[in-house]
Amino acid sequence: MKAIVVSAPGGPEVLQLQEVEDPEFKDDEVLIKVEATALNRADILQRKGLYPPPPGSSPYLGLECSGTVVAVGKHVSRWQVGDTVCALLTGGGYAEKVAVPAGQVLPAPPGVSLKDAASFPEVSCTVWSTVFMMSRLSAGETFLVHGGSSGIGTFAIQIAKYLGAKVFITAGSEEKLVFCKDLGADVCINYKTEDFVARVKEETGGKGVDVILDIIGANYFRRNLDSLSFDGRLFVIATMGGAVTELDLRVVLSKRLTIQAAGLRYRSPENKAAIVREVESNVWPAIASGKVKPVVYKYFPLYEAAEAHRLMESSKHIGKILLVP
């Protein structure tokens, strides 16, 4: 099969389309012929040599895909050859075929093209596990997501609104703010021209928000704590603005705050399967009803993976960027 290979750690130019061996699949795995895969910031880190794949996983980039099942392991009962699916991967999406544990596979959501289904696994599993399973965002609460125009952000806006939350976002251009507003965000803040803490306080009568989903890390840490209400929950899923910061525990104590952080990739297959089951039960009905839609900015052929990475690193996109073998 063909796959994108990282020839050496470096810039987008190190991504090269090569002929490689088909993946072997285990008794509890399915083999998927890839219809599309989607870019994630983690792919850029892995390309640079900063985010190695977990031991035993595919050496190739790609944390999600959609496609058709072409083979199943002997312990797999739910999936059959010919099923159209999408899947949460530990790696290997930038290829024509990928092997994945059966528990990380989802049926292609109804009403969405098989290609666009590739835009959902990583964002839905990330947002559902962090914002809902662990931070317990519920109807009537307030929710701030940084990077509102990102793949994570555009999905988080839609699912939080669907479940009855008031949604705040930050983004860096008027075009992105308008897009987020059209998706359903209630309060859209330009982080380049406004102080998001002041705006959050103003919009909540001085209380702050209940839950924050953060991709920035250190640079926003203190301001995130200042933006939370009593019993507020901060969840950090990336450190684009630095990983090391100071914490004044008195702020946490006085406001009874909860601070959590997690990624998806290094979780156990059992943990990922539990998240995937929750996503199918809770998110897939929202997609089927048209309340949550795929947000795809651009499609690239697989051999143009370097161009796709350049676009992601420019941050000019809104939503997801897809690669199609």
Side-chain angles (χ1 to χ4, degrees):
M1 69 170 185
K2 288 185 171 65
I4 293 293
V5 174
V6 180
S7 57
E13 70 282 353
V14 303
L15 301 176
Q16 297 178 358
L17 188 68
Q18 295 182 10
E19 195 70 35
V20 299
E21 293 290 318
D22 279 12
E24 295 179 5
F25 61 97
K26 299 172 186 161
D27 291 345
D28 62 349
E29 293 183 333
V30 301
L31 186 65
I32 297 172
K33 181 179 182 292
V34 175
E35 178 80 12
T37 187
L39 271 67
N40 290 280
R41 292 268 172 196
D43 302 346
I44 292 169
L45 295 176
Q46 184 174 336
R47 187 200 75 215
K48 291 177 175 179
L50 303 174
Y51 191 48
S57 59
S58 171
Y60 309 122
L61 304 179
L63 298 177
E64 57 193 328
C65 75
S66 61
T68 306
V69 175
V70 291
V72 297
K74 63 185 179 185
H75 294 159
V76 176
S77 55
R78 178 174 181 185
W79 307 108
Q80 298 178 330
V81 172
D83 285 347
T84 53
V85 297
C86 55
L88 181 69
L89 310 174
T90 313
Y94 288 29
E96 292 179 325
K97 293 175 188 167
V98 65
V100 57
Q104 292 166 219
V105 179
L106 289 146
V112 174
S113 72
L114 186 55
K115 196 171 12 175
D116 285 354
S119 69
F120 280 123
E122 182 75 19
V123 294
S124 60
C125 290
T126 296
V127 172
W128 190 261
S129 63
T130 57
V131 176
F132 296 96
M133 292 171 74
M134 296 177 76
S135 299
R136 308 175 315 284
L137 180 68
S138 56
E141 288 194 311
T142 47
F143 169 53
L144 167 63
V145 56
H146 292 298
S149 62
S150 66
I152 291 280
T154 52
F155 175 82
I157 291 166
Q158 295 182 82
I159 194 66
K161 285 299 292 181
Y162 172 76
L163 292 165
K166 181 175 181 179
V167 177
F168 294 62
I169 66 97
T170 60
S173 74
E174 287 307 311
E175 178 197 9
K176 290 178 176 179
L177 296 176
V178 169
F179 193 94
C180 292
K181 191 83 173 169
D182 289 345
L183 269 184
D186 298 285
V187 179
C188 301
I189 304 163
N190 187 330
Y191 67 83
K192 291 181 179 174
T193 60
E194 291 185 85
D195 173 4
F196 73 80
V197 181
R199 185 77 189 279
V200 162
K201 292 284 179 67
E202 178 191 328
E203 296 282 350
T204 59
K207 280 174 52 182
V209 293
D210 297 300
V211 175
I212 298 176
L213 183 63
D214 179 49
I215 56 171
I216 303 300
N219 287 355
Y220 276 12
F221 187 68
R222 179 63 193 268
R223 283 184 281 168
N224 280 331
L225 299 187
D226 289 345
S227 300
L228 284 169
S229 64
F230 282 91
D231 297 310
R233 290 87 79 194
L234 168 65
F235 210 108
V236 181
I237 56 168
T239 54
M240 291 171 63
V244 179
T245 186
E246 283 192 351
L247 170 61
D248 184 343
L249 285 169
R250 291 169 298 183
V251 177
V252 182
L253 285 164
S254 64
K255 293 169 73 175
R256 302 186 300 271
L257 302 181
T258 301
I259 302 166
Q260 299 180 88
L264 264 182
R265 193 178 197 182
Y266 288 91
R267 292 174 185 247
S268 69
E270 295 77 18
N271 190 235
K272 288 178 184 172
I275 293 168
V276 165
R277 285 194 299 273
E278 283 246 356
V279 164
E280 186 175 355
S281 298
N282 295 287
V283 176
W284 255 224
I287 299 172
S289 67
K291 301 294 186 188
V292 173
K293 295 182 169 67
V295 180
V296 178
Y297 185 75
K298 192 167 183 180
Y299 308 90
F300 287 89
L302 186 60
Y303 63 83
E304 288 186 9
E307 240 358 88
H309 273 228
R310 287 185 188 100
L311 173 60
M312 175 163 266
E313 288 182 278
S314 77
S315 289
K316 290 176 181 169
H317 63 293
I318 293 173
K320 298 289 282 188
I321 301 165
L322 266 51
L323 292 176
V324 183

